[in-house]
Amino acid sequence: MNSLTLIGEVASDPVYFCTEKAQDLTRIQIRTTDDRGQTTLHHCQAWGPLALDLHRHLRKGEWFMVRGPLKYRPLRVGNRQVQLPYVHIAAHTYLGRVTGVRPPTDRSQLRVAAAS
């Protein structure tokens, strides 16, 4: 099964596209921090009505949870073709704006945070 869950801070405002085939697409970057303090940016994409919703309501600095499969899209870097990993957003939860706190890095912290 190819499915993952990310909880983190939206690193920049979502970017909306309408494709040549009139499909709505929103791209988001989520910043996570592991238990060693290492920060990672994760690329995420949403399509259709979900893309419009995220574009309208999600902003940089807000916390966000996404669930979905890990996919890859081709990207040209100079004269090379590379595969960029991204999360295809199938489900999401708005977590709001939180200051001075890092996202939970393991499930035990998540359960405690969710119970509070």
Side-chain angles (χ1 to χ4, degrees):
M1 174 184 231
N2 178 6
S3 181
L4 59 89
T5 301
L6 285 176
I7 299 173
E9 182 181 9
V10 178
S12 58
D13 285 334
V15 178
Y16 170 80
F17 299 91
C18 184
T19 69
E20 292 176 0
K21 295 180 181 178
Q23 295 177 318
D24 296 311
L25 165 65
T26 296
R27 291 189 177 140
I28 301 164
Q29 289 186 329
I30 296 179
R31 179 183 302 120
T32 61
T33 305
D34 65 21
D35 55 355
R36 295 169 293 170
Q38 182 97 19
T39 300
T40 305
L41 282 179
H42 305 275
H43 298 272
C44 303
Q45 290 184 4
W47 292 87
L50 177 58
L52 290 172
D53 181 61
L54 295 178
H55 173 67
R56 287 185 189 125
H57 300 291
L58 192 62
R59 293 292 168 254
K60 176 182 177 181
E62 295 178 337
W63 282 34
F64 191 56
M65 180 176 75
V66 297
R67 289 187 180 155
L70 182 64
K71 295 191 174 190
Y72 299 88
R73 69 180 179 95
L75 180 68
R76 183 160 298 285
V77 178
N79 60 356
R80 290 183 33 218
Q81 185 86 4
V82 298
Q83 297 294 314
L84 179 69
Y86 70 93
V87 179
H88 180 97
I89 302 173
H92 71 285
T93 301
Y94 295 106
L95 300 174
R97 189 171 293 275
V98 179
T99 58
V101 180
R102 286 186 7 201
T105 56
D106 65 44
R107 290 196 180 273
S108 65
Q109 289 176 323
L110 179 58
R111 280 189 215 103
V112 170
S116 300

